């Protein structure tokens, strides 16, 4: 799940040099895209040691009251409000802890967090700490779904390889997904985790009915794919997007090719797909492509599994593809 280094304003948010005309009271006016820059530096103030320890030493610091001994993480107090402002001192806490709440999962993030979704957002009480630290949560087993991380789940802090001294430099994964050595290792980095072996769901042996259903669904999906590739509107939904996807179902597998507007489905095994989708019944995917219920919902409801968490983005595009085709067909009928 390594992250790309990004500019403060991502490229896609920077408008092109372009103009347009608006007409007001029968008069044409020319509007030009232009810029105004306002960047600033923000001080982390008294929390600087906490963020510097994350960035440079891969350590998590808290502050311990010299009188009552309470350890607060992050170290937001230099003096304890419970002990007539007795001074606190910085201490290092463990990088393993337990969730004190069941984290909600953000699937549809705001533009600020688009490249990080889906992620869980919860609070962990690290060993040695008395307060909970707010963290982002991920899994190495594929898509993050409800129930995977709950209140009481033991998790471990993972440090991003490239750190700038922000809270998003760290996140947690369940310790059950790590080796005992990884659980004990301090300053475990994301590149040390195995992201390439997600836990794919296993399906029972297909019956003759399942096989017939698979063939029928595949045929319908292929016909739909042809329509999507011919639809100007639908092509827009996957413009600039390229993915080769393996889809495994109970009764067989096939390949989806997304190629800058082209959408194709073939009964073929891919040797190195960008990611894998697994759904017991191919009708789950067919329904989604027919715009009968969202595919994103099928993922969240665990009817459809994907091997890479960040490919939820592609699932989101498939929903748009289905919606755009239906919209175009409706417009045509209206005319
Ligand atoms: Zn105190």
């Amino acid at each position: 799940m390594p992250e790309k280094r990004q500019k403060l304003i991502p490229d896609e948010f920077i408008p092109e040099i372009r103009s347009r005309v608006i007409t007001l009271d029968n008069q044409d006016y020319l509007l030009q895209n232009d810029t105004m820059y306002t960047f600033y530096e923000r001080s982390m103030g008294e929390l600087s040691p906490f963020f510097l320890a994350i960035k440079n030493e891969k350590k998590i610091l808290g502050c311990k009251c010299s009188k009552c001994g309470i350890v607060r993480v992050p170290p937001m107090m230099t003096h304890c409000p419970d002990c007539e402002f007795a001074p606190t001192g910085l201490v290092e806490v463990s990088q393993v802890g337990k969730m004190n709440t069941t984290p909600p999962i953000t699937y549809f993030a705001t533009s600020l967090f688009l490249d990080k979704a889906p992620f869980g957002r919860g609070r962990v009480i690290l060993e040695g700490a008395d307060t909970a630290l707010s963290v982002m949560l991920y899994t190495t087993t594929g898509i993050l779904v409800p129930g995977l991380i709950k209140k009481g789940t033991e998790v471990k802090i993972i440090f991003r390889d490239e750190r700038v001294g922000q809270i998003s430099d760290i996140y947690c994964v369940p310790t059950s997904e790590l080796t005992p050595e990884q659980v004990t290792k301090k300053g475990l980095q994301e590149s040390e985790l195995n992201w390439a072996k997600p836990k794919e769901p296993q399906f029972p042996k297909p019956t003759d009915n399942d096989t017939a259903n698979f063939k029928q669904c595949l045929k319908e999906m292929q016909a739909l794919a042809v329509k999507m590739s011919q639809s100007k509107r639908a092509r827009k939904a996957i413009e600039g997007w390229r993915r080769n996807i393996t889809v495994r179902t109970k009764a067989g597998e096939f390949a989806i090719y997304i190629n800058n507007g082209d959408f194709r489905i073939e009964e073929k095994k891919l040797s190195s797909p960008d990611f894998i989708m697994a759904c017991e019944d191919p009708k789950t995917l067919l329904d989604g492509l027919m715009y009968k219920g969202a595919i994103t919902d099928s993922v969240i409801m665990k009817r459809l599994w994907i091997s890479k968490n960040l490919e939820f983005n592609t699932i989101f595009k498939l929903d748009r593809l289905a919606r755009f085709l239906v919209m175009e067909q409706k417009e045509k009928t209206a005319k």
Side-chain angles (χ1 to χ4, degrees):
M1 213 198 38
E3 232 188 331
K4 270 188 284 175
R5 174 169 280 202
Q6 273 208 333
K7 295 268 175 63
L8 218 43
I9 297 179
D11 280 345
E12 63 263 36
F13 294 147
I14 301 176
E16 286 165 15
I17 298 174
R18 205 189 275 171
S19 63
R20 66 189 173 102
V21 172
I22 57 161
T23 309
L24 292 173
D25 301 327
N26 293 321
Q27 185 75 43
D28 285 348
Y29 295 94
L30 185 62
L31 297 184
Q32 304 268 14
N33 280 351
D34 218 323
T35 54
M36 184 163 66
Y37 305 102
T38 47
F39 294 109
Y40 64 97
E41 286 182 314
R42 182 160 48 102
S43 163
M44 304 314 268
E46 286 169 355
L47 280 173
S48 292
F50 174 72
F51 289 110
L52 279 170
I54 287 178
K55 180 178 182 281
N56 299 332
E57 298 173 82
K58 293 190 281 177
K59 281 181 181 175
I60 305 295
L61 297 184
C63 60
K64 185 173 183 169
C65 170
S66 55
K67 211 166 169 192
C68 70
I70 190 173
V71 176
R72 296 179 171 94
V73 179
M76 73 286 261
M77 312 263 182
T78 53
H79 294 80
C80 180
D82 296 334
C83 302
E84 292 175 333
F85 300 103
T88 65
L90 291 174
V91 286
E92 188 190 348
V93 295
S94 165
Q95 298 178 4
V96 174
K98 284 196 171 138
M99 298 305 303
N100 83 333
T101 48
T102 296
I105 301 172
T106 301
Y107 286 99
F108 305 101
T110 61
S111 57
L112 261 182
F113 296 102
L114 256 189
D115 59 333
K116 294 189 170 64
F119 55 85
R121 191 99 196 122
R123 292 166 70 80
V124 58
I125 299 184
L126 296 170
E127 285 160 17
D130 295 297
T131 65
L133 175 69
S134 182
V135 283
M136 276 182 154
L137 297 138
Y138 286 100
T139 175
T140 56
T141 60
I143 180 78
L144 184 63
V145 286
L148 228 147
I149 304 172
K150 290 183 275 210
K151 180 178 177 175
T153 301
E154 192 183 69
V155 296
K156 159 112 188 173
I157 301 257
I158 308 297
F159 292 81
R160 290 195 192 272
D161 290 359
E162 289 211 19
R163 298 179 300 281
V164 282
Q166 286 179 347
I167 200 66
S168 54
D169 286 351
I170 56 167
Y171 56 86
C172 285
V173 300
T175 52
S176 59
E177 297 176 11
L178 305 173
T179 64
E181 295 74 40
Q182 287 177 324
V183 175
T184 27
K185 184 175 178 181
K186 262 193 200 174
L188 186 64
Q189 287 187 204
E190 65 181 339
S191 53
E192 297 175 68
L193 302 191
N194 189 355
W195 298 96
K197 283 225 165 20
K199 223 166 97 193
E200 196 174 326
Q202 300 300 312
F203 303 131
K205 278 218 153 72
T207 62
D208 288 349
N209 264 346
D210 293 330
T211 307
N213 174 54
F214 173 79
K215 285 191 175 144
Q216 181 58 32
C217 285
L218 188 64
K219 220 168 97 184
E220 287 183 46
M221 276 188 265
Q222 284 177 313
L224 208 53
V226 171
K227 277 188 200 158
M228 283 165 167
S229 293
Q230 287 167 350
S231 154
K232 218 172 154 185
R233 196 84 182 252
R235 292 184 71 92
K236 272 265 171 222
I238 48 169
E239 199 176 61
W241 206 251
R242 286 178 182 85
R243 291 289 188 277
N244 294 339
I245 310 160
T246 286
V247 185
R248 295 209 179 109
T249 73
K250 199 181 186 179
E253 79 172 64
F254 56 93
I256 292 180
Y257 303 90
I258 301 174
N259 187 9
N260 189 24
D262 280 327
F263 187 70
R264 205 153 41 86
I265 294 178
E266 274 177 34
E267 194 174 354
K268 206 179 153 186
K269 284 192 184 206
L270 295 173
S271 53
S272 53
D274 293 307
F275 72 100
I276 298 165
M277 279 187 204
C279 57
E280 189 163 344
D281 185 352
K283 194 152 191 312
T284 306
L285 187 60
L286 173 64
D287 281 349
L289 292 174
M290 287 172 76
Y291 196 51
K292 290 180 186 167
I295 310 173
T296 43
D297 281 346
S298 293
V299 173
I300 297 166
M301 303 308 286
K302 304 182 207 176
R303 288 190 297 265
L304 193 148
W305 175 88
I306 55 174
S307 61
K308 286 186 187 166
N309 190 55
L310 289 179
E311 292 295 347
F312 190 76
N313 218 340
T314 302
I315 301 298
F316 186 65
K317 282 180 192 286
L318 290 181
D319 274 338
R320 284 179 67 196
L321 182 69
R323 189 166 74 239
F324 284 10
L325 180 69
V326 168
M327 275 158 64
E328 190 178 86
Q329 284 167 341
K330 265 190 192 157
E331 282 166 8
K332 274 187 186 157
T333 340
K335 276 177 198 166

